[in-house]
Amino acid sequence: MISTVVCSNGAAIQSGRCDGFDGRIESPARKHLPAPQFQSITDQEEDTQSQIESRRSQTAMSSQQRDPQMSPLETLEVASKPKHLHQGSKLKRFSSRWQSRGSISSGNFTLHTPETANGSKTERKRRKLLGDPQSAHLTAGSRQRYVSKDGKCRVNLGPIEDKRRFISDIFTTLVDLKYRWFLLIFTMCYILTWLAFGWIYFLGAWSRGDIAHMHDQHWRPCYENVDGFLSALLLSLESQRTIGYGYRMVTANCLEGVVLLMAQSIIGSIIDALMVGCMFVKISRPQQRALTLIFSKRCVVCERDDKLCMLFRIGDLRESHMVDAKIRAKLIKSRQTKEGEFIPLEQSELNLGYDTGGDRLLLVEPQTITHVIDQSSPFWEVGARRFKRENFEIIVILEGIVEASGMTCQARTSYTEDEVLWGHRFESCISLEKGAFRVDYSAFDKTFEVQMSKLSEKERRDATQQELGF
């Protein structure tokens, strides 16, 4: 006996279930249905809202393909799925931008071996550096910067075997130390020398018998008024710091005492020169001057004189300005060559007016730095939509001489693809007041949106040439 089940739209088929999702059902109506088609998709294929709505409506109308035991909520979830995703199969979105060695491509299918199905550690790192959208679930939304916004380089050096190079350049090594370690070494250098010469004075006084004949009026001591280690330590401290209270001293009754006093004076002078020099250089380093050099939080892309340009701002908060200020920018982006070689963090130069002298600045008021996007620019073929998919970082470096000290100062910052605003311009922060120009730093980071095309500069040029008939 064949049971007849009436579906929601009134159609009846000869089966125990409504066909469409259960592959085990065999009915006369099934052989008239088209076989399910499977196809692989890439990260670049995105379902629009209209396509999703059409799928939902089609699935709602074809109730013959719905299980009568499904709830309305389950029916909606099935309707929201793309057509190429079938029941029982979990096809993932594989990226066409990266093909691992462990994957095998055949037709429309991409078969990944178990080694690369979950992604090896090396593969995940490469995908993260390349900016592969497939690795978005691996990075969990994190964005590793090459240079932070405050100018610190996020690069950790690995194990260095030959550490004697740091000892050879001891002055730079001490200056580069953190303050807590530098102050510890600064203090220990003095304390250890005082203790070392204090022990030598004490042993000399004990071996000559000065301590035993301390109260003998006829004894001619080498170290006068040294009766123990504490008094010998005071003699060492007074001698090295040239305090000289006059009660405890080295007399002329022994030659070794005079030689010891000369050696301590020379060593003390060397320690003073090294430690005080390091302290002065560390305090006066121009890194602190870079804190008063500010950059805009975002870049903007807009049109200037019929040219597509990338703009950002820099400013100096001090009245003593930078001398011979220069600006340059580097584009940091990982890529894979045609031969399959992986190049992590490749650096390329962005022209900020080197040929016209625009990279040399008179940093009296905030300056808007311009990078013209032309055929030599790496953004020549990048439009508004592609900017969102790219994975890059722009490193901006400002160098100049501090007017007060004459030392070279460098300030850095970086901009990622999320910090580039397409179709925006900076608001003006310069106004005229009586006898001078006024800078309003509250408008330093403010931008406003303008109407402009989302095409790349290359597409704009091609469209213009087609209109002109070239």
Side-chain angles (χ1 to χ4, degrees), residues 354-367:
Y354 176 78
D355 49 349
T356 61
D359 60 335
R360 295 180 178 271
L361 309 175
L362 178 61
L363 205 57
V364 178
E365 81 283 351
Q367 297 287 322

Side-chain angles (χ1 to χ4, degrees), residues 416-428:
T416 60
E417 68 277 0
D418 298 330
E419 297 168 346
V420 179
L421 300 178
W422 186 280
H424 284 247
R425 286 180 184 161
F426 284 108
E427 291 187 4
S428 177

Side-chain angles (χ1 to χ4, degrees), residues 299-312 350-353 368-374 377 379-380 382 387 394 420-426 450 452-453 455-457 460-461:
C299 280
V300 298
V301 177
C302 62
E303 295 178 353
R304 270 194 173 186
D305 299 328
D306 296 331
K307 296 180 181 179
L308 196 62
C309 300
M310 177 179 288
L311 311 175
F312 60 90
L350 293 181
N351 188 2
L352 300 181
T368 301
I369 310 302
T370 305
H371 166 64
V372 180
I373 301 177
D374 52 14
S377 172
F379 303 111
W380 169 249
V382 181
F387 253 112
I394 301 174
V420 179
L421 300 178
W422 186 280
H424 284 247
R425 286 180 184 161
F426 284 108
V450 295
M452 59 174 289
S453 173
L455 299 178
S456 65
E457 183 66 12
R460 285 156 44 95
R461 295 286 180 88

